[in-house]
Amino acid sequence: MTLALGCIADDYTGASDLANTLTRAGLRTVQTIGVPADDLKLPEVDAVVVSLKSRSIEASLAVSRSRAAETWLRGRGASHVLFKICSTFDSTDAGNIGPVMDALRADCGEAVVLVTPAFPETGRTVYQGNLFVGAVPLNESPLKDHPLNPMHDSNLVRVLARQSKTQVGLVDLATLTRGAEAVRSLLAEFSGKGIGAAIIDAVFDRDLETIGLVAAEHRLSVGASGIGLGLARALVSTGKVKSAAAGSGQGAAVGGQVACLAGSCSQATLQQIANAERVMPVLHLDTERILTGANEAQRALDWAGPRLAQGPVLIASSATPADVAALQARHGRDAAGHAIEQTMADIAENLVKSGVRRLIVAGGETSGAVVDRLKIPGFLVGAEIAAGVPVLRAVAGEMLLALKSGNFGGPEFFSDAMRLMR
């Protein structure tokens, strides 16, 4: 297997989003969970997305895991590696975007790395180096209040400069609209000045194609699924990859019981849970009891058992931002997050043991904990449920999953997912 594109994603739902984007653009794509074992049998593909749970861990661990993933991808022929991050640039001044970028850049000898979280199709644009969510800057949007990585500065040149050892430049929209040669010229100028990374504006879908053409000529890029789309289109348009039909990973129906787990506290997920209550039983976990040692996982399993025989169920640990902040104040941010994630993983593990074969998970950290617990090595990419959320078929065993970033999906996401997961 010789890869046309290698990707390292800093969380599992973001990896699914990217794998879905690459598949829609014509690349045969597999998503792996962690760096694959040598004996994992993968089909012949154009791209591999290595999923890590590295967004919110200690920076040195994120760096070491990302470097191991890059080594594996380069060893399979990937001349370009995309470090896939969140479209809201989720990070802190300690990282982990900057430290990982610096390490991968040093390893591959890249002079200047193009960086953008823009994906206009999903409402994420970058102008004059500032990240916008819809019509408002990130720091004025509801997405600024992520419980682990709050983002209160929309100027990405400043944000990245605070966490990277290299100087950070800006390729503005005026340069980008002059075409690929203008971008190449500015990057060469940056390289001569010792600037090692450049935030690049992107406002329209067509901007991604120019970015992709230039980025593909380098060994490393950093960004969300938008730059992945640009890279995929560049690989197809230049003849390096022959476009494949999307949805080739759908396969035969799996059947079996269906369960939904929600751990995201985003406004989108909270609304999706509220809408789901009209069509299926929903249990809201008591997160305070989780933090004080009560066995909420067993209560949830006892509740779900008889109901699963009748149809799908949803179990949620999600709460409003105010409730999350209060819980973190009482118990500590990391302790609260870890305890809730492990409780959701306990629930998922036992649901699968009891016969659940179709599992829908909302929330990046929750998805990471669940997939790790289930020890699924990788996925084939199937039909698209919502923008950035595909049906995933486990490469080993008969099981379908959907892993949704908190802000993704329409109001009826859980029902939409169940219709496609057969």
Side-chain angles (χ1 to χ4, degrees):
M1 178 172 63
T2 301
L3 297 177
L5 178 64
C7 307
I8 305 165
D10 67 356
D11 86 333
Y12 293 0
T13 55
S16 297
D17 174 16
L18 177 59
N20 178 64
T21 298
L22 298 178
T23 299
R24 285 194 301 138
L27 271 60
R28 298 168 299 168
T29 306
V30 165
Q31 175 184 350
T32 71
I33 304 303
V35 178
D38 290 338
D39 61 354
L40 178 63
K41 294 182 179 179
L42 296 175
E44 191 67 27
V45 293
D46 305 304
V48 170
V49 182
V50 177
S51 315
L52 303 178
K53 196 167 181 283
S54 60
R55 181 175 297 170
S56 304
I57 63 175
E58 200 274 323
S60 63
L61 283 176
V63 166
S64 64
R65 293 174 186 178
S66 299
R67 294 177 82 172
E70 184 197 28
T71 298
W72 188 91
L73 292 165
R74 301 281 189 200
R76 272 72 186 171
S79 59
H80 185 92
V81 169
L82 166 62
F83 173 40
K84 197 278 178 191
I85 60 172
C86 183
S87 64
T88 47
F89 217 76
D90 287 1
S91 56
T92 70
D93 288 353
N96 290 336
I97 296 173
V100 171
M101 178 191 73
D102 290 348
L104 298 183
R105 174 174 170 255
D107 286 350
C108 71
E110 185 58 71
V112 185
V113 179
L114 278 176
V115 181
T116 186
F119 199 174
E121 178 185 333
T122 61
R124 310 294 190 270
T125 57
V126 178
Y127 179 66
Q128 293 297 320
N130 292 280
L131 177 56
F132 285 78
V133 177
V136 300
L138 171 63
N139 63 302
E140 297 176 18
S141 78
L143 305 188
K144 70 182 185 298
D145 294 319
H146 190 284
L148 296 179
N149 298 298
M151 290 297 296
H152 295 152
D153 186 355
S154 63
N155 187 300
L156 300 183
V157 176
R158 286 197 302 256
V159 171
L160 186 57
R162 289 195 294 265
Q163 51 183 283
S164 171
K165 294 178 180 178
T166 189
Q167 295 182 67
V168 180
L170 171 64
V171 180
D172 63 10
L173 189 64
T175 301
L176 180 64
T177 54
R178 293 201 300 272
E181 194 53 48
V183 176
R184 293 185 187 105
S185 178
L186 184 55
L187 292 181
E189 181 182 328
F190 285 165
S191 178
K193 295 178 178 179
I195 297 172
I199 301 294
I200 185 165
D201 284 351
V203 175
F204 306 104
D205 284 339
R206 63 177 179 270
D207 297 336
L208 300 176
E209 297 187 7
T210 302
I211 294 170
L213 278 171
V214 176
E217 298 165 359
H218 294 251
R219 290 181 60 77
L220 178 68
S221 60
V222 177
S225 291
I227 196 170
L229 178 60
L231 286 163
R233 287 177 175 172
L235 290 169
V236 172
S237 67
T238 57
K240 295 179 180 178
V241 170
K242 181 179 179 181
S243 182
S248 58
Q250 291 186 44
V254 168
Q257 297 174 337
V258 187
C260 308
L261 300 176
S264 169
C265 300
S266 71
Q267 291 184 5
T269 297
L270 293 175
Q271 185 59 57
Q272 290 159 355
I273 294 169
N275 291 345
E277 297 200 51
R278 299 197 299 264
V279 296
M280 71 181 85
V282 176
L283 175 67
H284 293 271
L285 298 180
D286 186 330
T287 51
E288 183 66 36
R289 282 172 53 84
I290 293 174
L291 270 295
T292 55
N295 196 342
E296 275 292 278
Q298 190 58 54
R299 182 174 79 91
L301 294 166
D302 291 343
W303 173 88
R307 291 170 175 82
L308 280 168
Q310 307 302 317
V313 301
L314 191 157
I315 299 169
S317 63
S318 306
T320 65
D323 289 340
V324 171
L327 190 74
Q328 291 176 339
R330 290 192 298 272
H331 300 282
R333 186 187 74 173
D334 293 342
H338 179 75
I340 293 169
E341 290 164 23
Q342 292 309 304
T343 295
M344 297 297 273
D346 289 343
I347 294 168
E349 180 181 20
N350 284 283
L351 288 173
V352 171
K353 286 179 178 177
S354 71
V356 168
R357 291 293 174 267
R358 293 174 286 168
L359 190 62
I360 302 163
V361 188
E365 300 299 324
T366 306
S367 294
V370 166
V371 173
D372 283 347
R373 182 66 63 85
L374 296 179
K375 294 181 171 59
I376 298 173
F379 299 103
L380 302 175
V381 181
E384 184 178 53
I385 301 165
V389 191
V391 176
L392 299 173
R393 178 179 293 268
V395 296
E398 289 296 313
M399 189 168 184
L400 298 180
L401 284 89
L403 307 177
K404 181 189 88 74
S405 179
N407 295 302
F408 281 24
E412 309 297 332
F413 172 79
F414 293 106
S415 295
D416 295 341
M418 287 186 289
R419 277 192 291 273
L420 289 176
M421 297 172 67
R422 300 191 178 279

